[in-house]
Amino acid sequence: MGMGIGLLGFQTTIANSVTLSGTGVHSGAEVAITFHPAEADSGIVFQRMDGDQAISEFRAVSSQVGNTDLCTVLGFSPATSIATIEHVMAAIYALGLDNLLIEVHGAEMPIMDGSSAPFIEAIEQTGLKALAVKRRYIRILKPVRIESGSSWSEFTPYDGMRFEVEIDFDCPLIGRQAWKGDLTPSVFKTELSRARTFGFMRDVERMWAAGRGLGSSLENSVVISDDDTVINVEGLRYTDEFARHKTLDAVGDLALAGAPFIGCYRSYRGGHKMNANALKALMSDPTAYEIVETVTRRQRAAPREGIAVSAP
Ligand SMILES: [Zn+2]
């Protein structure tokens, strides 16, 4: 059924620890992070380190999300929180990685090249390992929709994990563009993972003046000039890189559900806040979803797939 988050429905972790480092986009500081294997049912856990000591620990679930103004932040106090988790969460979610401990030697994740590709590479370098516990999925049972001005987003039932993300910008370079597709690890890798974050030169200058976005550069963002052209000499990686990056962001934001969802997520003129609020609306309505251990529908006999149908 093309969910791709396979290994016969068992939870996964990584085979071995792997470290990568780069610049924090907000602080401009160098940050090293290490991915460690973790036990079944431990989920994705971030630890903020000070030397060898963990000064805080957060499970990457929506109840732990503080600020979502510029990026997604885990925690509620700047002294202990961990910022800019969305691109690494997108990579983790899309690859079907369920359990992971991430040590962060700094206050935010490194921005790398502004996409999820370096995180995919790091995870694939060590590989996934199946654990002896079944994965749980969140199956959408009925539509859940939120609106804010002209923006909206909604979950609907669907036999797979599908994203339809449409953006509509005033500037002609971006305009109206959409990415629609069923998410599998290979679709994510080839169509979404390399799409970089983007911004407008006037906003970048304003952020710099306010002492924010200090690590932001043409190495990690697509920057659009005041006369509506891409400043980066290498140009765009995809003609619709903007819609693809917004889809990547949505994947990372919905990863905070704590389990893969079976359904379709659509959004129009959305962003981190809309994604977070849509997830909140879904989770606050227990009749809108069910937790299952198989991706096939209950009504359908599924013994050939080797996954027992298990009612919640
Ligand atoms: Zn992003």
Side-chain angles (χ1 to χ4, degrees):
M1 70 165 293
M3 290 279 296
I5 33 190
L7 298 173
L8 293 173
F10 284 97
Q11 293 185 29
T12 62
T13 188
I14 51 172
N16 292 294
S17 297
V18 56
T19 295
L20 63 169
S21 58
T23 306
V25 71
H26 297 295
S27 61
E30 279 297 297
V31 193
I33 60 171
T34 302
F35 296 149
H36 294 292
E39 284 173 22
D41 290 330
S42 58
I44 309 301
V45 173
F46 287 77
Q47 282 184 340
R48 181 161 161 186
M49 306 298 292
D50 183 5
D52 293 343
Q53 293 294 312
I55 57 171
S56 60
E57 179 175 305
F58 306 99
R59 190 159 175 165
V61 291
S62 43
S63 60
Q64 298 296 306
V65 172
N67 199 300
T68 52
D69 286 341
L70 289 175
C71 62
T72 304
V73 178
L74 288 176
F76 304 89
S77 151
T80 54
S81 62
I82 299 170
T84 328
I85 62 158
E86 57 269 25
H87 301 161
V88 73
M89 287 305 296
I92 289 166
Y93 203 48
L95 288 182
L97 177 47
D98 304 291
N99 303 287
L100 187 66
L101 173 65
I102 306 175
E103 285 182 356
V104 185
H105 294 268
E108 61 180 321
M109 298 298 288
I111 190 66
M112 311 308 289
D113 67 351
S115 80
S116 288
F119 302 118
I120 295 271
E121 271 164 40
I123 294 164
E124 290 201 321
Q125 190 188 313
T126 167
L128 292 197
K129 189 177 118 187
L131 300 169
V133 178
K134 289 276 174 69
R135 172 183 291 133
R136 282 172 293 272
Y137 300 89
I138 299 166
R139 183 198 300 287
I140 311 299
L141 296 175
K142 66 178 198 191
V144 172
R145 180 181 172 100
I146 61 162
E147 293 177 13
S148 169
S150 63
S151 305
W152 56 264
S153 61
E154 67 180 5
F155 289 97
T156 51
Y158 180 76
D159 219 357
M161 184 197 267
R162 184 172 177 83
F163 283 82
E164 297 186 2
V165 173
E166 183 163 15
I167 58 176
D168 193 354
F169 279 71
D170 269 340
C171 80
L173 177 69
I174 303 179
R176 193 164 180 163
Q177 49 181 258
W179 188 88
K180 299 177 183 182
D182 288 20
L183 195 75
T184 67
S186 70
V187 164
F188 184 81
K189 260 171 20 188
T190 56
E191 297 198 23
L192 301 175
S193 74
R194 297 178 63 248
R196 292 160 295 173
T197 196
F198 59 93
F200 296 89
M201 196 61 219
R202 55 178 182 276
D203 298 332
V204 175
E205 282 167 343
R206 199 179 309 141
M207 274 203 318
W208 283 343
R212 310 173 88 165
L214 297 176
S216 173
S217 76
L218 295 171
E219 307 277 296
N220 54 43
S221 350
V222 175
V223 180
I224 300 158
S225 70
D226 293 341
D227 61 359
D228 203 42
T229 54
V230 170
I231 290 176
N232 309 57
V233 287
E234 75 279 14
L236 295 174
R237 291 178 174 178
Y238 313 89
T239 49
D240 55 354
E241 186 166 1
F242 310 105
R244 289 174 194 249
H245 186 80
K246 286 289 191 178
T247 309
L248 182 163
D249 278 341
V251 173
D253 290 337
L254 296 191
L256 297 165
F261 71 92
I262 303 169
C264 176
Y265 181 68
R266 278 191 198 90
S267 84
Y268 174 68
R269 292 178 69 116
H272 294 305
K273 199 147 276 174
M274 286 289 286
N275 296 335
N277 287 341
L279 188 55
K280 231 172 264 172
L282 172 69
M283 292 301 171
S284 64
D285 182 356
T287 68
Y289 68 94
E290 63 179 349
I291 306 294
V292 294
E293 285 189 351
T294 173
V295 295
T296 42
R297 284 196 183 285
R298 246 193 278 173
Q299 300 90 302
R300 213 184 270 172
R304 279 138 267 105
E305 309 217 359
I307 304 170
V309 176
S310 158

